[in-house]
Amino acid sequence: MEHYVHQYIIGMDTNPAETELNLRSIIQAIESNETDLSGLVIVMQEFLVSEEANLRAKGLSLLTGVLKGISKTCVTSKDVGVFSQFYVDRLHDQYCISELLNGLNALLSLNPACGPQDTLKIVQGIFEKC
């Protein structure tokens, strides 16, 4: 998993085709239960909290790509709650606002895991932070 994450981050600037292959490999690893979303976040932690805005944006882009591409059956209501709070809490990061909003949009599309209460929390969070 770590290999695919690093190759995704590196490839974003140089090789879009390889980047897409790495994203698919990460999604496949989650869907085949080799890892789960929390395992992915642990591997990605250095990018998601990096002081370098470019690396944070790439990390968020990867996480959002996974949420958009993963089978809805692999995402629980708890996952939606954790990730929605994660994205909302970072809305102050102006450099990454596009990736953050795309991530929230991906979460909103994850029915039935993203229920009405989750949707309400996301919308309220957006208005409170912005």
Side-chain angles (χ1 to χ4, degrees), residues 31-44:
E31 290 179 340
S32 65
N33 294 318
E34 293 174 39
T35 191
D36 58 14
L37 288 168
S38 0
L40 173 62
V41 170
I42 290 168
V43 170
M44 294 178 57

Side-chain angles (χ1 to χ4, degrees), residues 20-101:
E20 184 63 27
L21 287 174
N22 287 306
L23 175 61
R24 293 285 154 224
S25 296
I26 293 166
I27 291 170
Q28 183 178 5
I30 294 169
E31 290 179 340
S32 65
N33 294 318
E34 293 174 39
T35 191
D36 58 14
L37 288 168
S38 0
L40 173 62
V41 170
I42 290 168
V43 170
M44 294 178 57
Q45 184 175 3
E46 70 181 282
F47 301 110
L48 296 172
V49 298
S50 175
E51 291 185 18
E52 293 181 45
N54 188 38
L55 288 178
R56 282 194 317 278
K58 288 177 179 182
L60 288 166
S61 177
L62 172 55
L63 184 56
T64 296
V66 169
L67 291 171
K68 284 182 177 180
I70 198 168
S71 168
K72 293 178 181 183
T73 60
C74 294
V75 183
T76 66
S77 177
K78 182 179 176 184
D79 292 332
V80 170
V82 169
F83 287 112
S84 61
Q85 191 64 52
F86 171 81
Y87 278 102
V88 167
D89 285 348
R90 281 150 185 77
L91 285 173
H92 66 278
D93 187 348
Q94 293 178 352
Y95 186 87
C96 299
I97 196 74
S98 177
E99 289 82 5
L100 292 164
L101 292 174

Side-chain angles (χ1 to χ4, degrees), residues 7-22:
Q7 290 304 310
Y8 178 94
I9 300 295
I10 292 167
M12 284 188 78
D13 293 330
T14 58
N15 192 340
E18 184 178 324
T19 298
E20 184 63 27
L21 287 174
N22 287 306

Side-chain angles (χ1 to χ4, degrees), residues 111-123:
N111 290 323
C114 184
Q117 291 294 353
D118 296 309
T119 301
L120 181 60
K121 286 179 186 178
I122 289 171
V123 173

